[in-house]
Amino acid sequence: MPQDLMHTANEGVLSYMCHLILKHVIVDQKKISLARVNTTIAQLSNAFPADRPGLIKEEHLAPTHTLRQSSAQMRVLSLLLPFALQVKTADGSLQFAGDAKYLNCFIKFSQIMNFCLAYKFHVTDVELLRAKIQEFHEELILIDPTVNKAKLHFLHHIPDQIILYGGIRQVACYRFEGHHSIFKRHFKIIHNYVNPMLSLALHHQVRKCNQMRKKNFLYDGHEYTNKMDVTNLVDRRVAAVKESFPTAPQIIEISRLKVYRTVYKEGHLILLADDEPEFAVIQKIYSIGNNKFCFVCLKAKTRSLVKEVNAYHISTMSTLLTVDVDQLKYPHPIVRLVWDSKDFAMPLGHHKLLAGTC
């Protein structure tokens, strides 16, 4: 049976690593206050509206306590902590508030998580993942020689399981746990306390039968919200669409596009190329007929990979370009954070970017 990332990583090793680095900086080193860390996390978590980390309390940092976060919250917290634990130096630059070996070990595990949550793999990626897990384990033992967790051992089995089963995220418990919300919602409606299991099973099967009555019950097509017809509008963005798609019968501006449960909005960041990472910011979204859609974007310049926060520093340029939604290099929006008046891109779930292979 393959390892479950939700319990082995998010609620296991990742929870331990977040607790370890917070305790080191706040309790042991006393370089930064817990109130400041909570404030910074609250500001940055706007990029993750559904999974904002909960408030971290002082008692949570005790050796026998946990941070009391859900699996999704713990994942988001691990992405934000490298930003939240930075302090300004005398020359105005930012640096990690604690010992660098703690941050390096923490970032290494973030890279491992990015590998494990990738949608696709190459055989060379699996061997690199195996080496990274071994390096991480050795570095962690040097930091905390007393660590003795079975889930650290379970990590070493993940590369072999990727070879056997494919992407490990496809066999994780995320979707099963998410499906529980359906039963919880039904239970509030039926109010049956005599035989609730039977009622829940019947309601669930009726719901599935109603879904299957649809013509295309697996996927009904892209969902979008029309704003207005801009076919005859004099605008440089509309002109760019006409130049790229000269046979488009009609151009309709839309405010929101949902493609296979992935939502795109204006201001979202997308990936243009991954050999040398290139990004773009969505300015407008257009429907161009025949269930085809395109983005008009402003290209973003990739300035550098900032290893201390495991993110790319980017800046938006004035170059306008159109992108066919069906031809996206990576079919998911890229997490975009603003920190210290700078834009950062975090292409999570990519088998190469932010996974230590660049």
Side-chain angles (χ1 to χ4, degrees):
M1 183 176 179
Q3 294 300 320
D4 171 38
L5 287 178
M6 179 176 174
H7 296 98
T8 300
N10 287 18
E11 297 177 1
V13 181
L14 194 59
S15 176
Y16 168 78
M17 290 301 300
C18 289
H19 188 281
L20 179 72
I21 198 169
L22 279 167
K23 180 176 177 294
H24 166 68
V25 173
I26 297 171
V27 178
D28 299 338
Q29 298 289 317
K30 294 182 172 60
K31 294 287 185 69
I32 194 170
S33 70
L34 180 57
R36 179 179 166 183
V37 171
N38 278 320
T39 301
T40 305
I41 290 172
Q43 293 170 348
L44 293 173
S45 59
N46 291 330
F48 306 91
D51 303 309
R52 296 171 185 268
L55 185 70
I56 302 170
K57 301 179 180 179
E58 289 186 11
E59 56 263 31
H60 295 167
L61 302 182
T64 58
H65 286 62
T66 63
L67 297 179
R68 305 294 297 272
Q69 309 282 335
S70 70
S71 175
Q73 287 176 318
M74 191 61 68
R75 173 64 173 151
V76 172
L77 181 63
S78 70
L79 299 173
L80 302 182
L81 277 182
F83 293 91
L85 298 179
Q86 300 281 329
V87 292
K88 283 196 175 183
T89 59
D91 61 357
S93 60
L94 291 170
Q95 70 174 25
F96 179 59
D99 194 329
K101 65 182 180 182
Y102 281 82
L103 180 63
N104 293 338
C105 189
F106 188 84
I107 293 297
K108 184 154 288 184
F109 189 69
S110 292
Q111 294 175 342
I112 290 171
M113 284 295 297
N114 230 41
F115 258 126
C116 295
L117 289 169
Y119 292 89
K120 64 178 182 179
F121 287 87
H122 188 271
V123 65
T124 55
D125 298 330
V126 179
E127 294 309 312
L128 185 58
L129 174 60
R130 194 191 308 276
K132 275 197 167 292
I133 291 174
Q134 183 63 36
E135 291 172 11
F136 161 73
H137 203 159
E138 291 172 358
E139 289 181 17
L140 182 59
I141 290 174
L142 292 176
I143 292 173
D144 184 6
T146 63
V147 62
N148 183 19
K149 291 185 174 293
K151 290 177 181 178
L152 279 170
H153 169 74
F154 296 160
L155 289 177
H156 292 271
H157 294 287
I158 289 178
D160 292 326
Q161 290 169 351
I162 290 173
I163 294 174
L164 290 172
Y165 303 108
I168 203 74
R169 70 178 298 144
Q170 304 302 328
V171 291
C173 275
Y174 297 114
R175 292 185 180 181
F176 296 98
E177 295 280 349
H179 205 67
H180 289 174
S181 62
I182 296 173
F183 293 100
K184 291 176 182 177
R185 187 166 61 251
H186 282 330
F187 190 77
K188 291 179 181 178
I189 296 171
I190 61 177
H191 295 291
N192 179 0
Y193 299 99
V194 178
N195 192 352
M197 296 300 104
L198 176 61
S199 296
L200 287 174
L202 288 174
H203 275 261
H204 183 260
Q205 290 304 310
V206 169
R207 180 176 180 271
K208 289 297 178 184
C209 288
N210 285 333
Q211 288 178 342
M212 293 177 69
R213 289 174 63 188
K214 297 179 181 179
K215 184 177 180 181
N216 298 310
F217 72 94
L218 291 178
Y219 188 64
D220 282 336
H222 302 343
E223 299 175 21
Y224 55 94
T225 306
N226 288 345
K227 285 180 69 175
M228 59 179 174
D229 188 336
V230 295
T231 308
N232 299 319
L233 186 67
V234 179
D235 181 85
R236 72 184 190 117
R237 288 174 291 227
V238 175
V241 174
K242 290 179 178 179
E243 183 179 348
S244 300
F245 306 95
T247 60
Q250 190 179 29
I251 303 173
I252 299 175
E253 182 182 337
I254 61 179
S255 58
R256 179 179 180 272
L257 176 64
K258 188 175 182 181
V259 182
Y260 295 104
R261 301 185 68 181
T262 299
V263 176
Y264 297 94
K265 296 180 181 179
E266 295 173 8
H268 278 186
L269 201 66
I270 59 172
L271 183 68
L272 296 179
D274 54 9
D275 292 330
E276 293 292 334
E278 293 182 7
F279 305 94
V281 180
I282 297 175
Q283 285 272 292
K284 295 289 182 181
I285 308 174
Y286 295 103
S287 169
I288 52 177
N290 300 320
N291 204 33
K292 287 186 67 66
F293 303 87
C294 73
F295 301 136
V296 174
C297 309
L298 285 179
K299 192 173 181 180
K301 180 180 180 181
T302 306
R303 295 187 174 274
S304 63
L305 170 62
V306 184
K307 294 183 179 179
E308 292 79 10
V309 294
N310 204 36
Y312 293 94
H313 176 205
I314 63 171
S315 59
T316 306
M317 301 188 297
S318 58
T319 307
L320 204 66
L321 66 150
T322 56
V323 179
D324 187 339
V325 172
D326 294 333
Q327 303 299 322
L328 280 174
K329 185 73 175 178
Y330 181 67
H332 302 277
I334 306 300
V335 174
R336 182 185 183 189
L337 292 176
V338 179
W339 171 243
D340 193 35
S341 302
K342 298 176 182 176
D343 262 3
F344 291 92
M346 304 177 76
L348 307 176
H350 195 286
H351 73 294
K352 178 181 178 182
L353 303 181
L354 295 187
T357 60
C358 294

